[in-house]
Amino acid sequence: MNWQKVYQAADFVFYCLLINVTVIIGALVGGIIFGLAPSIQAGFHVAKKTLKQESPPFFQTFFRYYRRNFWRSNRLGLPIILFYLCPMVVIQQGFLAALTQTGLILLIVSQCVAIAVINTLLSMYEYYVLPTKKYLGASLRFLFFQPIGTFLGVLWFGICSTISFFLPGLLPFLSIGMWIIGTMGIYLKLFDENEQKLKQQNDAVQPAEREEEEIEHGIEMAQK
C-alpha cells in the first residue's frame, strides 16, 4: 500500500471538513444572507493558503479574514445571490416542469455561465488586487482567455453537486469544502499560467509600447 497517497487523501478530506464546517458556521453567524458571501470567500482564502503549503492557524486565519472582508465580500456576492441565485432557485422549484425545451436549455446554459463566473470571481479575489467593481468584468473576460480551465471548474462543481445529490449527508461535512479546494486549485494553476504568458508578452514589448498599453488598459492587476 502506498501510505503517502493515503496520508495525502486523509489530509485532503481533513481540510475539506475544516473548510466545510467553518463556511457553514460563518454563514450562520452572518444570518445566511449576509454571511454566505464572506464565509465562502474566507473558505477560498484558507484553501489558497493550504494549497500553497502555508500553515497559518486555521480558525484564526478564517475568522480574521471573514471579519476584515465582510462588507467587501457582500458588495461582490450579495447582488449575485439576490438577483440571480435566488430567482434561479425559485424557477427550479416552482416552474421547472412548465419550461419548454428551449427554456430548459437556456436555464442550463445560464447556470453554467453563472457557476463559471462565480468560480472565477471568488478565485480571482484571492489572486489579484482590484477595485471591487472591477472583479465581475475581469471574471467575465477571463472566461474567454481560459475556456478549458473554466470548463474544468464548472465540471468540478458538477461533480461535487452530483455527489451531494446522491449522498446529501456529505453536504454539511465535505461537499462545500471539496468544491472550494478543488476550484481554488484549478484557478491557481490557471492564474499562474496566465501570469507566465503575460510576462513573456511583456518581455517582448518595448518599454514605450508597454507604457502605452498600461495607460490604455487603465489598470494593472497586482498579485496579492
Side-chain angles (χ1 to χ4, degrees), residues 85-96:
L85 295 183
C86 288
M88 188 65 64
V89 171
V90 171
I91 291 172
Q92 286 183 319
Q93 296 298 319
F95 304 99
L96 188 60

Side-chain angles (χ1 to χ4, degrees), residues 4-187:
Q4 184 177 1
K5 291 185 177 180
V6 173
Y7 292 144
Q8 289 175 347
D11 282 342
F12 177 77
V13 172
F14 176 69
Y15 280 110
C16 285
L17 176 63
L18 282 180
I19 292 174
N20 210 102
V21 171
T22 48
V23 165
I24 292 175
I25 292 172
L28 292 175
V29 168
I32 305 298
I33 295 296
F34 291 102
L36 186 60
S39 187
I40 292 176
Q41 193 62 64
F44 270 80
H45 180 70
V46 293
K48 181 189 73 173
K49 296 286 187 183
T50 300
L51 291 165
K52 288 190 170 185
Q53 298 183 342
E54 301 176 15
S55 302
F58 183 88
F59 293 104
Q60 182 180 350
T61 302
F62 180 94
F63 287 106
R64 183 171 61 240
Y65 192 86
Y66 176 90
R67 291 193 301 270
R68 190 170 68 240
N69 289 273
F70 186 86
W71 293 115
R72 192 169 187 232
S73 296
N74 271 306
R75 287 199 298 272
L76 270 174
L78 199 57
I80 297 174
I81 294 171
L82 293 179
F83 299 113
Y84 185 84
L85 295 183
C86 288
M88 188 65 64
V89 171
V90 171
I91 291 172
Q92 286 183 319
Q93 296 298 319
F95 304 99
L96 188 60
L99 288 176
T100 63
Q101 183 176 0
T102 301
L104 183 60
I105 292 173
L106 290 175
L107 177 66
I108 293 172
V109 170
S110 65
Q111 285 181 324
C112 290
V113 172
I115 292 166
V117 171
I118 291 170
N119 282 345
T120 308
L121 189 149
L122 293 170
S123 303
M124 185 174 284
Y125 188 88
E126 294 305 317
Y127 197 92
Y128 294 109
V129 177
L130 292 173
T132 304
K133 63 182 180 180
K134 296 287 186 180
Y135 278 104
L136 183 58
S139 300
L140 287 168
R141 290 195 299 273
F142 194 80
L143 302 186
F144 298 98
F145 296 152
Q146 291 282 1
I148 296 177
T150 299
F151 171 76
L152 290 176
V154 174
L155 180 62
W156 178 247
F157 180 89
I159 291 171
C160 294
S161 58
T162 301
I163 292 173
S164 301
F165 178 80
F166 288 105
L167 297 171
L170 292 179
L171 187 60
F173 302 104
L174 290 176
S175 302
I176 299 171
M178 284 176 56
W179 164 60
I180 289 175
I181 287 184
T183 302
M184 193 72 248
I186 290 169
Y187 276 90

